[in-house]
Amino acid sequence: MESFNSFNSTSLPQMASYADLVKLAHRNPNLSSFENLWEAYYSYWNNDILATGIVTFIAHELIYFGRCLPWIIADAMPGTFNRWRIQDHKAPPSFATQWNCTKYILAIHFIVELPLIVLFHPMMDLCGLKYTSPFPAFKTVAAQLALFFIVEDTYHYWLHRAFHWGPLYRSIHRIHHQYATPFGLTAEYASPWETLLLGLGTIAPPLVLGYFTENVHLITVLVWMGLRQVQAIDCHSGYDFPWSMRRIFPFWGGADWHDDHHRYFVGNYSSSFRYWDILMGTVAGPKNGREKRRRD
């Protein structure tokens, strides 16, 4: 089990402030400024479970609502942005609609996700993930992120497809399809069970890889979590710009891909990429005879 022992306890002033810890941390010339701040942060809390929970939850909230903000602004300015709306024949979501969605998501974040985030540090210890300095090399982070995207996309495709089976749809997935015209905030508008089960596809790959390699760092997990949030929000945004990623990388799903899933109800089950739907013949849209239908 890792712990932060970079600071000699006898050198720490009683009730040291964070500023004091930062000064002490910068005495280590072998660490970068960010690594020194990271060490100081964990030493300040003197409770690794609490420190990991706080940084993970705050990062989750800042990234989620920070990334939703541009789409909220775009929805509030239809005269400027409507030309890039995918379902431009429908009005953008009202403020009341977005506020109701926000309240539900905050409830999910605090009631369902926060307890799981607090438990993440013990799971990290169990699976051998690292969280002390130094941080991993960029090439290691990049390779692991690519692997996580591929594994999560596969898991998401098959589980999401299963969610559209009648009993699972009615008991788990129906809430997410409340909005046939998605907008950014709806990325995590889901039932508690769906939040847990689909979230497993995000958090399990780092834990499993860490268990077998002992070479996964919390920093990599935080970057992965942030990228996965941005991807989910963007594909629910309802906008397709000339500079959208799917125009640069044709295999990328993007908003146009997932918007068709909400519009036609079935097909386009993948999260990030297109290949599973293409291989399995589940591309959404009228060309494949997919008609939008509602299940009560």
Side-chain angles (χ1 to χ4, degrees):
M1 179 176 178
E2 288 185 330
S3 60
F4 278 85
N5 297 314
S6 301
F7 302 106
N8 187 320
S9 59
T10 60
S11 67
L12 287 174
Q14 189 174 10
M15 297 298 289
S17 68
Y18 185 71
D20 293 330
L21 291 171
V22 170
K23 291 178 182 178
L24 289 169
H26 279 92
R27 293 179 182 176
N28 188 344
N30 297 319
L31 299 180
S32 68
S33 296
F34 188 33
E35 288 169 331
N36 278 313
L37 289 172
W38 183 265
E39 294 261 346
Y41 168 78
Y42 269 88
S43 296
Y44 174 78
W45 285 105
N46 197 31
N47 182 320
D48 292 349
I49 295 175
L50 182 62
T52 298
I54 290 173
V55 72
T56 304
F57 186 71
I58 290 177
H60 180 276
E61 298 305 289
L62 289 177
I63 293 168
Y64 190 84
F65 290 106
R67 185 55 189 162
C68 284
L69 184 59
W71 304 121
I72 294 172
I73 295 172
D75 286 334
M77 302 173 65
T80 302
F81 293 99
N82 203 60
R83 74 185 77 174
W84 294 297
R85 272 178 57 82
I86 298 166
Q87 298 189 48
D88 57 359
H89 59 288
K90 295 184 179 181
S94 65
F95 175 80
T97 297
Q98 300 215 41
W99 175 236
N100 287 334
C101 182
T102 299
K103 289 187 291 185
Y104 181 87
I105 289 169
L106 284 171
I108 289 291
H109 284 184
F110 279 92
I111 297 172
V112 179
E113 295 184 8
L114 179 57
L116 296 176
I117 287 174
V118 172
L119 292 173
F120 182 66
H121 191 94
M123 289 190 290
M124 278 179 32
D125 281 336
L126 182 65
C127 294
L129 271 69
K130 302 175 182 179
Y131 60 97
T132 57
S133 298
F135 294 157
F138 175 80
K139 63 180 182 180
T140 300
V141 175
Q144 292 178 353
L145 290 175
L147 177 64
F148 297 160
F149 266 109
I150 293 170
V151 172
E152 190 282 332
D153 186 71
T154 300
Y155 174 87
H156 190 105
Y157 172 85
W158 290 104
L159 183 60
H160 189 190
R161 186 171 177 177
F163 280 167
H164 280 260
W165 176 58
L168 290 181
Y169 176 79
R170 289 188 290 271
S171 60
I172 296 177
H173 194 48
R174 181 181 178 181
I175 290 176
H176 186 66
H177 276 273
Q178 178 175 327
Y179 299 101
T181 306
F183 50 95
L185 285 165
T186 61
E188 293 188 2
Y189 190 89
S191 68
W193 275 112
E194 180 170 350
T195 300
L196 289 169
L197 292 172
L198 286 182
L200 186 63
T202 299
I203 206 60
L207 292 174
V208 173
L209 184 64
Y211 181 80
F212 285 104
T213 68
E214 297 184 352
N215 190 33
V216 177
H217 198 282
L218 176 58
I219 284 293
T220 307
V221 178
L222 292 176
V223 173
W224 160 235
M225 178 190 74
L227 291 176
R228 181 69 185 93
Q229 283 185 287
V230 170
Q231 181 276 328
I233 293 164
D234 285 2
C235 80
H236 285 85
S237 67
Y239 291 89
D240 185 33
F241 292 103
W243 54 85
S244 295
M245 271 193 64
R246 65 103 175 176
R247 300 182 186 275
I248 303 171
F249 303 104
F251 57 84
W252 190 254
D256 70 316
W257 186 257
H258 194 69
D259 206 276
D260 277 350
H261 172 74
H262 281 263
R263 189 189 309 188
Y264 298 106
F265 181 79
V266 290
N268 292 12
Y269 299 114
S270 298
S271 57
S272 299
F273 307 116
R274 298 176 182 244
Y275 56 83
W276 272 115
D277 285 290
I278 294 171
L279 290 172
M280 302 308 298
T282 55
V283 177
K287 290 183 180 179
N288 286 352
R290 301 292 191 181
E291 297 297 333
K292 180 181 174 182
R293 50 197 172 89
R294 293 290 183 184
R295 298 178 186 179
D296 297 325

